[in-house]
Amino acid sequence: MAERSTAAVDVADNSGDEPLTAQADQSTADGVAQNRERDTDSSASEEAQGSGGEDLAKTTPPELHSGHKLARRYRLEECVTRLDGFSSWRAVDEKLRRAVGVHVLPADHSRARSVLAAARSSALLGDPRFVQVLDAVEENDLVYVVHEWLPDATELTALLAAAPLEPHDAYQMVTQISHAMAAAHREGLSHLRLNPSAVLRSASGQWRIRGLAVNAALRGISSDTPQRTDTEAIGALLYAALTQRWPYESDAYGLSGLPKGVGLIAPDQVRAGVHRGLSELAMRALANDGATASRHESPCTTPEELVKAIGEMPRIRPPEPAFTAPPDYQRTTYQQGTYGRQAPHAGATQPIPTPPPPLQSRTGRALKWAVSALLIAALGLGSWQLADALMEHRDRSGDTDTSQTTDDNDKSPTKPVTKPIAISGAHDFDPFGDGSEKPSDINRAYDSDAGSYWQTNFYKGADFGNLKSGLGIILDLGKVQQVGKVTVTFVGDTSVELRAASSEASSEPTSFDAYTKVAGGSGTSVTLTPDKPLKSRYLLVWLTKLPLTNDGTYRGRVADIKVTS
């Protein structure tokens, strides 16, 4: 497997696993984790999630311990899950000096092949909204899967242990997770164990999903309707985020279930103050066997349908920051001139001395006279200058000999007339990537329609996920022309450079080095003005930093380009 350069990553999913044996729970000298795993999924809920119902002969897990090395690289540190023939560890990649997570199981385990296949398929997706698989190897009678470890991320389980999510946070969670799962299903991948332990919120507020395809393969879970299973799981996550309750009768993931025999209750009926639109969205995703939400909308049975339903909702904005009034001013007990004096008795009313009238002293009277004299002098000088200017203007207007001529000192340079330059053609330019990004939509970048745009692929960071230095659009002006400025309109704050080919170029250059930087800037509407006069036929609008989008990824979007002389 090709390794990824991204750092840090997954925490093993240990909610929903069967309890560890007493022996696995005992303290050991080699540092194996001592936390007892608690089963949060009953056999009935396992069937609801689509368990394949395998009757496996238990395979003895390999004897591993803290300090054991895999491939002379991954040093196991702490066991976080051990059950059903496999174990999950927090480990250290000694080559790259970073923390990673590792799932380990015997090569002869009945699920070993399916785990390898699931890990490799998940790694090929490369979507930053999922915790990434870094390696999947069969070696020395072992199969192990290496994945990211996210030390700064918090499980949804831990967030809900404190309180339900605010409406804006719940909206962001369901939006990002729905978009991510829709993208995964378009590539033929499903999760099938999407629960509060598999959803993480990073320190930047981005939601990440761990265990795509791998968690289900480790436990032998399958489903005849994977899209429906994952969609219902997203509905359960939203329900729990709004109510701090699990939408089934059994307790799970540290959350209380619904009262038995009552059935599924809408979130806004379980807890006061729940956002009505999100409540109905959760019911549509949880709808089963023809059941629908309170307003009788059709149920959402796939992540794509859920994404469409979210798009039809009014956007939920973050709450306004609360204003904290400053504390009332309190007079200090120390006052000038009280040092060494006896403090007044408590409760005694102290007279407040009346300040003297302003400017009643000898110095004050002198200051008033000085200011008055200055004002009179200023008014006199101003009146004289105004009268002199009026007289000079009248003399000039009466002089017929000089009315038709202009003194050389009064001449001002004529401002150059600017005019738009038509763009005869354009195409995307990705010399440091795969050579092309959305070429079919390139005309939207200069069609004078602010509602349409050309966009890049999505990336894990503003700097193109450290994959390349940038990408852009080459503009063909039809012939060599004088370029005064280029105005670029973006969707979201974007950093951009204007580069130009030599005016002597007989054909369009294909090398990045053939374009020289002449201007730069950032924002949503950037005017790029060359420092020196510029003549060129081929211009390169080069994007260097991308904005964050609503789905938690980084993507450049060019709405319009104008070139003027």
Side-chain angles (χ1 to χ4, degrees), residues 19 23 30 47 63 84 86 95 132 152 208 223 229 233 243 260-261 346 402 445 476 499 508 529 532 559:
Q23 291 78 6
D30 61 8
E47 287 184 4
E63 292 296 331
D84 204 10
F86 75 90
K95 183 177 180 180
Q132 299 293 295
D152 64 339
R208 305 282 298 275
S223 174
T229 300
T243 64
K260 295 184 178 180
T402 60
D476 183 359
R499 293 177 171 267
E508 179 186 310
T529 305
K532 300 178 181 179

Side-chain angles (χ1 to χ4, degrees), residues 520-545:
S522 63
T524 56
S525 181
V526 185
T527 300
L528 302 167
T529 305
D531 296 333
K532 300 178 181 179
L534 173 63
K535 284 188 175 182
S536 180
R537 173 178 176 176
Y538 302 102
L539 302 178
L540 172 59
V541 177
W542 185 251
L543 279 60
T544 58
K545 294 286 184 181

Side-chain angles (χ1 to χ4, degrees), residues 13 112 151 170 239 289 300 317 377 387 397 400 412 459 479 529 549 560:
D13 175 12
Y239 193 105
D289 300 327
C300 299
R317 300 190 177 276
S397 61
T400 59
S412 58
Y459 294 89
K479 62 181 180 178
T529 305
T549 62
D560 196 26

Side-chain angles (χ1 to χ4, degrees), residues 154-371:
T154 306
E155 282 188 6
L156 180 59
T157 306
L159 296 173
L160 295 182
L165 297 185
E166 294 293 329
H168 176 260
D169 293 334
Y171 173 77
Q172 287 294 322
M173 181 202 70
V174 72
T175 300
Q176 294 183 28
I177 291 178
S178 298
H179 278 87
M181 290 309 305
H185 278 282
R186 284 195 295 268
E187 300 299 326
L189 294 173
S190 56
H191 197 292
L192 305 184
R193 275 190 63 81
L194 195 55
N195 53 50
S197 296
V199 176
L200 310 170
R201 185 171 69 181
S202 66
S204 63
Q206 181 180 2
W207 293 91
R208 305 282 298 275
I209 302 172
R210 67 183 176 200
L212 177 67
V214 175
N215 280 2
L218 284 168
R219 293 161 178 82
I221 298 173
S222 61
S223 174
D224 294 332
T225 55
Q227 295 205 57
R228 181 66 172 268
T229 300
D230 283 342
T231 305
E232 183 176 350
I234 297 173
L237 292 174
L238 178 58
Y239 193 105
L242 296 173
T243 64
Q244 211 177 4
R245 299 286 292 270
W246 192 237
Y248 304 100
E249 292 184 353
S250 59
D251 299 345
Y253 310 105
L255 303 173
S256 300
L258 298 178
K260 295 184 178 180
V262 177
L264 186 61
I265 308 172
D268 55 358
Q269 297 178 14
V270 174
R271 176 175 167 267
V274 171
H275 189 278
R276 182 66 180 272
L278 292 177
S279 173
E280 293 183 354
L281 185 67
M283 293 295 286
R284 292 179 66 183
L286 280 168
N288 284 300
D289 300 327
T292 57
S294 55
R295 291 187 180 179
H296 306 289
E297 291 93 344
S298 59
C300 299
T301 59
T302 67
E304 286 285 2
E305 293 179 0
L306 195 54
V307 168
K308 183 178 179 181
I310 294 172
E312 294 171 351
M313 289 178 54
R315 187 173 180 181
I316 301 176
R317 300 190 177 276
E320 294 292 335
F323 173 75
T324 304
D328 295 335
Y329 172 76
Q330 295 181 351
R331 182 182 296 274
T332 59
T333 57
Y334 171 77
Q335 294 181 359
Q336 184 178 2
T338 61
Y339 181 76
R341 299 180 184 177
Q342 184 177 3
H345 297 289
T349 302
Q350 299 297 320
I352 300 176
T354 304
L359 302 179
Q360 292 299 315
S361 63
R362 180 181 299 175
T363 303
R365 287 193 297 271
L367 181 61
K368 287 195 295 182
W369 281 110
V371 172

Side-chain angles (χ1 to χ4, degrees), residues 10 12 86-88 101-105 143-145 147 214-215 218:
D10 177 30
F86 75 90
S87 57
S88 299
V102 182
H103 299 305
V104 185
L105 68 164
V143 167
Y144 57 90
V145 176
H147 48 81
V214 175
N215 280 2
L218 284 168

